[in-house]
Amino acid sequence: MYKNFIIVPILCASSLFAAQNKAYDIRSGIVEYAVVAENPNKNDYIKGSSKLYFKDFGDLEITDTTMVQKVFDEEEKEREIVKIVKDTMYTVNFDDQLIYSSKIAADENGSSRFVLNKENLQKMGATFIGTESVLGYKCDIWQLGDDRIWSYNGVPLRQISKSASGMQMEEAKVANFNIDIKDDKFKLPNFPVKQMDEIIINEEGEGDY
């Protein structure tokens, strides 16, 4: 239900692979986001939160996102966890109580990770429009179509997306970098693991099988 609204903090294009394996230009980080989607009906809403943990420049990362949607006085909640270990993605489906494991497709150079750096953003057609601090971190601001991204060393700290259904904003409320992160932050639920085919990560961080 919430696939159009969840913004995982890995912005990339399915045809654009980084020339380097590291996803971020910073060793480790913990970022907590608030997610809000505009709704034409003032009585309805879509909102949520997301947590990103990563270390080893993104060789190991996990994103835990919970979204809540209220429509016609009925509220529904959906949670999704995505873990990446180098070239392997694990997606937790709480409805099925399964973990789907897939290899991330690599390019001709053997790289399977994406980098939100100047070179790649420009290849995607993004325009640099300035800098601004978010939580005290100086971010480069990029305009990519109807999306605007505030990137700090490859980590998006704010993103505004516009579409026919309205506007959605994801903004970091807490961000700490170059810190030690305990291994238990990267644990997944004790669900069975189902191996899937190779996938390509699309621009919203989800996978096409």
Side-chain angles (χ1 to χ4, degrees), residues 7-11 24 29-36 47-54 62-67 116 134-135 150-152 154-159 169-175 177:
I7 309 175
V8 180
I10 307 171
L11 182 69
Y24 308 112
I30 296 175
V31 187
E32 297 181 8
Y33 300 87
V35 185
V36 178
K47 60 184 179 180
S49 61
S50 184
K51 293 181 180 180
L52 167 69
Y53 298 87
F54 71 89
I62 191 167
T63 305
D64 187 343
T65 304
T66 300
M67 296 298 294
L116 263 180
V134 178
L135 298 176
W150 285 252
S151 175
Y152 173 74
V155 182
L157 294 186
R158 181 186 295 148
Q159 180 177 324
M169 183 172 74
E170 177 187 42
E171 183 169 12
K173 299 301 180 182
V174 176
F177 298 106

Side-chain angles (χ1 to χ4, degrees), residues 8 19 37 55 115 129 137 144 156-157 160 164 177-178 189 196 199 209:
V8 180
K55 61 182 180 180
V115 181
I129 59 175
Y137 299 103
L144 180 60
L157 294 186
I160 297 176
F177 298 106
N178 287 326
M196 305 295 287
I199 68 168
Y209 294 90

